Amino acid sequence: MYRSIIVAVDVAQLEKGERILQKAVALLDQGGRITLVNVVEELPTYLAIDVPTDLMGAARKDANDKLQELRDRAGVSATVDVRTGAPAHEILGAAQAYGADLIVLASHKPDFSNYLIGATADRVVRHAKCSVLVDR
């Protein structure tokens, strides 16, 4: 069982988020904590010029609202953390910041360069300092 679990959720695929959150709840020690993490990817500079200035703020607010709704619907006590940056890097940063002993994330359909699991899951698995559960 685990004392601190990071559940990395892609708000574009909340059904997977619900599934991995339930797995995390089943693996959590009594008195442990779950942190729901979503990462809003930064736009490259050459694209950021052409988009509205409040786009990133709106994306962060939307992600926060969806994670809170997911938490409330599941009926669990969890911290919500919306980060900005590269997904794998920010998930690993959250794991370190919260002292996580498990990261739970879902894998997207991989392309040829990441044949077995998706790119973010692949990077998290390779660089995590704690256990990682990848749901397919």
Side-chain angles (χ1 to χ4, degrees):
M1 301 305 254
Y2 299 94
R3 302 261 326 130
S4 177
I5 302 176
I6 297 293
V7 179
V9 177
D10 179 353
V11 295
Q13 298 188 355
L14 285 175
E15 68 285 344
K16 287 183 178 182
E18 289 179 31
R19 188 171 64 229
I20 63 174
L21 178 55
Q22 291 307 317
K23 289 181 181 195
V25 169
L27 295 169
L28 188 66
D29 276 344
Q30 186 173 8
R33 72 171 180 253
I34 291 176
T35 304
L36 294 171
V37 175
N38 176 262
V39 180
V40 176
E41 291 188 66
E42 291 179 332
L43 293 173
T45 316
Y46 63 88
L47 289 177
I49 294 170
D50 294 328
V51 298
T53 56
D54 64 338
L55 181 68
M56 294 302 290
R60 288 179 55 83
K61 182 182 180 330
D62 181 59
N64 188 60
D65 292 348
K66 287 181 178 178
L67 289 182
Q68 288 182 10
E69 182 182 326
L70 173 66
R71 175 192 63 194
D72 296 344
R73 196 170 45 245
V76 299
S77 175
T79 303
V80 171
D81 186 356
V82 177
R83 294 170 167 246
T84 304
H89 182 265
E90 292 300 323
I91 292 167
L92 293 168
Q96 183 175 0
Y98 290 101
D101 47 5
L102 177 66
I103 300 169
V104 182
L105 70 161
S107 176
H108 295 283
K109 288 206 175 210
D111 61 10
F112 186 70
S113 65
N114 299 89
Y115 188 69
L116 297 176
I117 59 178
T120 299
D122 180 52
R123 288 184 185 102
V124 171
V125 167
R126 287 177 193 254
H127 299 287
K129 304 249 188 288
C130 62
S131 297
V132 180
L133 172 64
V134 180
D135 183 69
R136 289 277 292 192

